[in-house]
Amino acid sequence: PTPRHMDVEPFQLRAILAGHEQDVRTITALDDGTLATGSYDASIRLWREDAASADGPNYTCSATLRGHTSVVSTVSPLPGGGLLSGSLDKHVIVWDIANSSPARILQGHSEHVLCVASAHGGSVLFSASIDKTARMWVDESCVHTLEGHEAAVWCVLPLDDGQNSSLTASADKTVKLWRGGECEHTYRGHEDAVRYLAMLPNVGFLSSSNDGTVRLWEFGGDSLRVLQASSSFVYQVAVLPSGEWLTCDEDRNLCVWNGSSSECEQSIAHPKELWACAALPNGDVMAGCGDGHGYVWTRTPSRVADSEMAATFKESVASVGLAAQQVEGMTGDFDASSLGGEEALAVPGTREGQKKMVKDANGTPVLYQWSSASSAWEKVGEIVGSSGGGDGASLGKKLYRGQEYDYVFDIQIDTGNVLKLPFNRGDDAWMAAQKFIWDNVENGVHQGMLDQVAHHIMANTPGNAPTAIGNADPFTSAGAYRPSSSAAGSNSANGNVDPFTATGAYRPAATSAPPQPALANGASTATQTVALHGSSLPFVAFDSCKHDAVLGKLLELNAQLAAAESSRALALSATDVEAVRSLVQGLKSARRATAAELSLFFGSAEGSALLSWPSHALFPCLDLLRLVLLRPAAILAELQALSPPLIARLLALVAPEAPTASDKAAPLMVYRCLANLLASASYDAPSSDAASSSRYCQLIATHASSIIDALAAPMATGSTPVRLAVSTVLLNMAALLRSGALATDADALQMQSLSLCAHALSVTAFTLSSEGEALYRVLTALATLLELGAGAVELARDLDLEAALRGLSFGSEASPKVKERVGALSATFSAKRSKQ
């Protein structure tokens, strides 16, 4: 058959909007022609046309809006060039574009916000959420909550009828028509979640769905037409000024459809899945892609991109690896052995977007797509792996709370309840496990389940490789230190890891310092060996943090406190919230905290104190405090003036009678705070100034004995992460004693520290392979204390530490570096004995 040639001018690439670090999840055009893109990287970028560009009329990024703390899932224009956005942080933001800052923040949804829109000249705002509701807002107040859907509400579309009417689309497979706050009609017909809605003037409206279809509806309730638009999810649908329809899908295609005949006029393959599409007022179209770029397409010859940009785009599409499972969804059963060679491409296609598989000269299966615009087969990817798996992109996603996931696990907890844990390929198992714990505290899930849940995920996702966001600590969602290997003392592949962060372990300073790996997102190393006064003292700090994630959790808990009358007085004021945001920005760049920022934690005449929050809400507050305490040189006077004293306050949180003592997260963060405070001697060099050095020594020395006393119980009964943290406190205390910074009562503190080492070596749990890193830090603390002189060795021998070392019983999985440290300590005792 003769292929149909295009009756309309084809769209050609105009611009690539490159700048986001992750998927472009949402796009829109503002009234003044500015384009807006929202991303998984939690930012919004504004793009203005640059007529003076050397490459011809193009777009440049004019501003980056930061205010959300999670994925920006939706953006929508406001009259006069304004912008509205929603995020997985549950907030809706009205933006002050001129100042690139939020003008208003609307809070009320209890789950992720998926869609925002406006009506009546921007005086009425709408939002839709995973919490199964849509909301109507006037003057920052929610005037209607649209309740009735049985699953996440993916889209809300206001109707310009003067009655505050709107349409909502839901994962419950339905669309609902609302008059004010009342549901007037429910449209049924889709077989899967309904993702998006678009008005079709003078006819009705369109809906796109995970069932691969677009439906045309009349408001009376009838489905007038069903278009099979994709073999996969159709994420969005739009209507062009010409009356044509535009769709984007999981199969990476931006498709233009004849609005009358439903015939596909053009199908444009992209490098990754297309989350969003939009018809621009000037006739151009735009797509938001999973590769982090926005793509603008035009029919106007003067706006077409140069050949170099077009060739680069074409190459990026052709190089995509596709799983056989995905190709089966597009073309039917896939049998590589039956494929013909490239000579089959000599036969023209019969319709736009038609797929054909062939083998290239190397025998690799390749997927092509027919383009009527070029009258040629265009390569859209290479097929990798086998059916049901492989290294390429794949389908078969599962729906959970209105979102698609590659896996949804059933997790049975101690109470017998079965909870759902969603997970995507490329996610980090430890971070997913931590989020599962945070989200299910009320269901009886606790921090002690972290290891078990994470290992369950890893065991059931073979081959999963987490997307590179740094060496992730799942509690702080941040980078973690991985020591370099060396010929001596290198740890095995699965030994001596921090079981909480699932990352590499601490090594004391060697003759030459090991190189530190470069981490993504500017993350610093989680533990590092540093020197005080030019020596090689083994200080260790917990200095890594995914700051935005911690900030997001803190603000979420603050909103919960503000929403409950009983706790409202504890919530931060708007001014304090901004101060916390400023603090987090400073901590990102390792800036020292100010006295005013310190008051956020301990209170002031004007505001509440973060450390007065309920025990279940303390952990993100303490997580930020540990970073403040790592560089305290500028606030030593304020820390010393606190009443009750800083260390006394921290120790009170882990006292047996304290409500926080039974919390799974807060005690861990308290011990990390103490570890960092002790390690700050090396980070912030208070010794460079006599007054600062004196304040620092007084701050620590006054409570050093109490710190050591507080470590014995968690060493014996704490969880693996807690045991690691308290061992780090002991190690840093030993380093301070070795430095001479704690000259007052040094003998008594030495005795206490050695006694604590003896206690630790008597705890059977320390010989488990999972506790290898904690044991190594105890042994390093002991070695550091023995360097204080012959008196320390004799005292250690009196405490039977030599016998305790001989009595350590290791399994076959014991780390070589632990064994080497034990051997070196035994040699130290023997050497001292032989000299006597």
Side-chain angles (χ1 to χ4, degrees):
T2 303
R4 185 190 72 82
H5 292 280
M6 297 189 69
D7 299 323
V8 295
E9 192 73 23
F11 282 98
Q12 299 182 69
L13 182 65
R14 174 182 179 181
I16 299 176
L17 310 183
H20 285 293
E21 297 174 1
Q22 298 182 51
D23 301 34
V24 173
R25 181 65 181 77
T26 176
I27 58 177
T28 195
L30 308 188
D31 286 356
D32 62 0
T34 299
L35 305 183
T37 55
S39 169
Y40 273 55
D41 65 14
S43 74
I44 299 169
R45 287 179 177 258
L46 302 182
W47 309 83
R48 297 189 187 278
E49 190 170 6
D50 182 7
S53 170
D55 300 324
N58 211 323
Y59 289 93
T60 58
C61 181
S62 60
T64 300
L65 310 182
R66 300 188 186 277
H68 287 296
T69 59
S70 187
V71 175
V72 179
S73 52
T74 173
V75 290
S76 182
L78 290 172
L83 181 68
L84 183 67
S85 66
S87 166
L88 270 60
D89 64 12
K90 310 175 188 178
H91 296 159
V92 175
I93 294 181
V94 180
W95 289 93
D96 177 355
I97 297 295
N99 295 307
S100 298
S101 62
R104 289 182 288 161
I105 299 178
L106 309 182
Q107 301 183 55
H109 284 293
S110 61
E111 292 290 348
H112 306 162
V113 176
L114 301 177
C115 184
V116 291
S118 66
H120 302 297
S123 61
V124 179
L125 307 180
F126 289 82
S127 58
S129 169
I130 284 183
D131 65 12
K132 306 179 187 178
T133 73
R135 287 176 177 251
M136 184 187 304
W137 307 81
V138 176
D139 295 330
E140 302 186 41
S141 297
C142 178
V143 295
H144 289 299
T145 299
L146 312 184
E147 298 178 292
H149 282 294
E150 298 176 0
V153 181
W154 272 100
C155 184
V156 58
L157 178 65
L159 305 180
D160 189 16
D161 62 357
Q163 302 181 53
N164 286 330
S165 301
S166 61
L167 293 165
T168 54
S170 172
D172 66 9
K173 309 178 187 179
T174 71
V175 177
K176 290 183 180 289
L177 172 64
W178 305 82
R179 305 292 185 191
E182 300 297 324
C183 179
E184 187 171 283
H185 187 77
T186 299
Y187 304 84
R188 305 182 188 276
H190 280 294
E191 298 177 359
D192 207 334
V194 187
R195 300 295 297 254
Y196 210 72
L197 302 168
M199 288 295 299
L200 189 62
N202 304 316
V203 180
F205 65 92
L206 301 174
S207 60
S208 65
S209 169
N210 284 359
D211 63 13
T213 69
V214 172
R215 284 180 176 257
L216 170 60
W217 305 84
E218 64 172 0
F219 284 103
D222 291 336
S223 177
L224 303 178
R225 196 186 314 168
V226 180
L227 168 66
Q228 189 66 47
S230 175
S231 61
S232 184
F233 302 157
V234 181
Y235 287 130
Q236 288 194 3
V237 61
V239 178
L240 278 67
S242 61
E244 295 163 297
W245 303 355
L246 186 71
T247 61
C248 63
D249 59 38
E250 171 83 5
D251 284 340
R252 307 183 293 141
N253 290 309
L254 181 69
C255 295
V256 183
W257 304 86
N258 185 298
S260 299
S261 66
S262 297
E263 185 175 6
C264 182
E265 295 179 337
Q266 190 173 5
S267 179
I268 308 172
H270 284 68
K272 292 194 73 174
E273 68 271 25
L274 294 182
W275 292 108
C277 62
L280 307 183
N282 64 359
D284 291 352
V285 297
M286 182 181 177
C289 187
D291 65 355
H293 297 159
Y295 293 94
V296 183
W297 300 85
T298 187
R299 283 172 169 165
T300 304
S302 63
R303 298 201 288 256
V304 172
D306 60 35
S307 58
E308 183 179 352
M309 181 182 292
T312 299
F313 172 80
K314 189 173 182 179
E315 182 180 347
S316 69
V317 174
S319 63
V320 171
L322 301 169
Q325 179 185 358
Q326 181 170 4
V327 177
E328 287 177 351
M330 300 176 188
T331 63
D333 291 340
F334 167 58
D335 182 3
S337 63
S338 65
L339 296 181
E342 293 177 324
E343 62 275 7
L345 301 177
V347 179
T350 59
R351 67 182 187 280
E352 175 69 15
Q354 180 183 351
K355 306 293 192 302
K356 176 176 285 191
M357 289 180 289
V358 300
K359 284 186 177 179
D360 65 12
N362 298 319
T364 302
V366 178
L367 182 67
Y368 284 81
Q369 179 171 293
W370 178 255
S371 169
S372 299
S374 60
S375 297
W377 292 101
E378 296 185 346
K379 183 179 176 182
V380 294
E382 297 181 354
I383 303 166
V384 297
S386 59
S387 181
D391 300 324
S394 62
L395 300 176
K397 294 192 175 184
K398 298 168 179 60
L399 199 65
Y400 176 68
R401 293 185 177 177
Q403 288 184 287
E404 297 82 29
Y405 296 91
D406 296 314
Y407 306 92
V408 178
F409 298 114
D410 289 329
I411 305 294
Q412 185 170 3
I413 61 174
D414 299 340
T415 62
N417 292 338
V418 176
L419 305 174
K420 300 292 185 181
L421 190 160
F423 187 80
N424 280 319
R425 281 181 294 274
D427 287 352
D428 185 279
W430 292 90
M431 293 173 69
Q434 184 61 66
K435 184 179 186 303
F436 172 76
I437 290 170
W438 280 341
D439 290 345
N440 289 282
V441 171
E442 295 180 355
N443 294 317
V445 180
H446 55 77
Q447 197 64 45
M449 299 178 179
L450 179 70
D451 285 12
Q452 185 178 0
V453 174
H455 283 111
H456 176 82
I457 296 172
M458 289 186 284
N460 289 279
T461 54
N464 179 60
T467 303
I469 56 171
N471 298 320
D473 175 337
F475 194 87
T476 61
S477 302
Y481 166 74
R482 290 184 183 275
S484 63
S485 58
S486 62
S490 61
N491 46 323
S492 61
N494 57 5
N496 300 312
V497 297
D498 178 340
F500 190 80
T501 62
T503 58
Y506 152 77
R507 289 180 181 279
T511 304
S512 60
Q516 298 294 325
L519 301 182
N521 301 333
S524 60
T525 56
T527 65
Q528 70 181 68
T529 303
V530 288
L532 180 68
H533 300 199
S535 64
S536 298
L537 295 171
F539 288 100
V540 180
F542 297 96
D543 71 336
S544 176
C545 184
K546 186 68 178 288
H547 303 79
D548 290 337
V550 177
L551 174 62
K553 191 64 183 181
L554 189 149
L555 295 180
E556 176 186 337
L557 292 168
N558 186 64
Q560 293 174 8
L561 293 175
E565 185 174 348
S566 60
S567 60
R568 191 165 298 147
L570 298 175
L572 297 175
S573 66
T575 301
D576 284 343
V577 167
E578 290 307 309
V580 171
R581 291 182 185 275
S582 176
L583 170 64
V584 170
Q585 289 302 313
L587 292 174
K588 286 181 179 180
S589 59
R591 171 177 66 78
R592 292 168 173 167
T594 65
E597 289 169 337
L598 182 67
S599 69
L600 292 169
F601 297 92
F602 302 101
S604 65
E606 293 78 23
S608 59
L610 289 172
L611 293 194
S612 67
W613 280 13
S615 58
H616 76 276
L618 274 178
F619 64 89
C621 311
L622 291 165
D623 213 5
L624 293 181
L625 180 61
R626 70 179 169 89
L627 300 181
V628 171
L629 295 180
L630 196 55
R631 293 177 175 84
I635 53 172
L636 282 172
E638 287 78 9
L639 287 173
Q640 194 175 15
L642 285 174
S643 180
L646 166 67
I647 294 175
R649 292 185 187 218
L650 291 174
L651 293 178
L653 294 175
V654 293
E657 67 277 7
T660 44
S662 59
D663 188 77
K664 298 298 180 180
L668 172 66
M669 287 302 166
V670 167
Y671 296 123
R672 287 186 172 186
C673 284
L674 292 170
N676 281 8
L677 180 61
L678 299 182
S680 67
S682 59
Y683 271 69
D684 226 18
S687 57
S688 62
D689 172 75
S692 293
S693 179
S694 176
R695 289 193 186 99
Y696 177 80
C697 292
Q698 290 175 21
L699 182 68
I700 303 298
T702 305
H703 301 280
S705 179
S706 298
I707 292 174
I708 299 171
D709 283 343
L711 304 181
M715 275 191 170
T717 62
S719 64
T720 294
V722 168
R723 194 172 284 118
L724 180 67
V726 296
S727 298
T728 306
V729 177
L730 171 60
L731 175 57
N732 290 343
M733 183 67 75
L736 274 177
L737 283 167
R738 178 69 180 83
S739 74
L742 300 178
T744 304
D745 295 327
D747 290 342
L749 295 175
Q750 176 184 307
M751 174 69 175
Q752 272 189 285
S753 299
L754 287 169
S755 296
L756 187 60
C757 289
H759 168 69
L761 297 182
S762 71
V763 175
T764 304
F766 269 95
T767 61
L768 300 175
S769 59
S770 61
E771 310 297 320
E773 180 62 27
L775 175 59
Y776 186 70
R777 296 186 188 187
V778 170
L779 295 172
T780 304
L782 175 56
T784 304
L785 292 168
L786 295 183
E787 291 174 3
L788 291 171
V793 176
E794 284 305 305
L795 183 56
R797 190 175 287 120
D798 290 342
L799 293 169
D800 289 329
L801 276 162
E802 186 177 13
L805 289 171
R806 290 197 300 269
L808 287 174
S809 176
F810 301 108
S812 58
E813 297 179 357
S815 162
K817 73 174 185 179
V818 170
K819 293 181 179 179
E820 289 171 6
R821 177 62 79 186
V822 170
L825 284 167
S826 298
T828 298
F829 282 111
S830 298
K832 293 293 183 181
R833 185 186 303 110
S834 65
K835 290 181 180 180
Q836 291 177 346

